[in-house]
Amino acid sequence: MNIEEEPVYILRLFVAGASSKSIRAINNLQGILDEKLKNKYEMEIIDVHQQPEIVKRDDVVAVPMLIKKSPGPERRLVGDMSDTQRVLRGLGLLV
């Protein structure tokens, strides 16, 4: 018997400290993920000032930036994550 499990979304959110735009992006994204993915995601929040080596490795050019690492394909979203439909499309949850 092959039971297909829903994928776990692996996400990285890059922010710039505790700026208002960063806080808004974290809160907006958290609300969307809790509603749509419940316990089906892992999100790492990375402060670009504290972890510049990850920023360089992941080629982050603007913040806040969300990178969906898994399931593929990798997707990148920039902004405060206030447009729910755009975030869901970017995560591949909306066509």
Side-chain angles (χ1 to χ4, degrees), residues 8-72:
V8 172
Y9 284 72
I10 307 298
L11 309 168
R12 278 195 175 155
L13 179 62
F14 291 86
V15 296
S19 70
S20 60
K21 200 170 191 179
S22 295
I23 299 298
R24 195 166 41 251
I26 292 167
N27 290 337
N28 289 340
L29 189 56
Q30 197 71 56
I32 293 168
L33 296 174
D34 287 345
E35 180 182 326
K36 299 296 182 182
L37 291 176
K38 299 194 180 29
N39 298 320
K40 304 265 188 243
Y41 72 92
E42 295 174 13
M43 182 170 63
E44 181 179 9
I45 298 172
I46 298 166
D47 185 328
V48 297
H49 301 299
Q50 293 180 5
Q51 296 181 290
E53 67 285 348
I54 296 175
V55 172
K56 188 173 182 174
R57 186 181 65 223
D58 281 1
D59 196 25
V60 174
V61 295
V63 291
M65 177 184 281
L66 176 68
I67 300 178
K68 179 184 82 156
K69 294 292 207 175
S70 177

Side-chain angles (χ1 to χ4, degrees), residues 28 32 36 81-89 94:
N28 289 340
I32 293 168
K36 299 296 182 182
M81 310 300 151
S82 60
D83 184 340
T84 301
Q85 300 300 309
R86 183 173 160 266
V87 172
L88 293 175
R89 267 194 305 280
L94 217 105

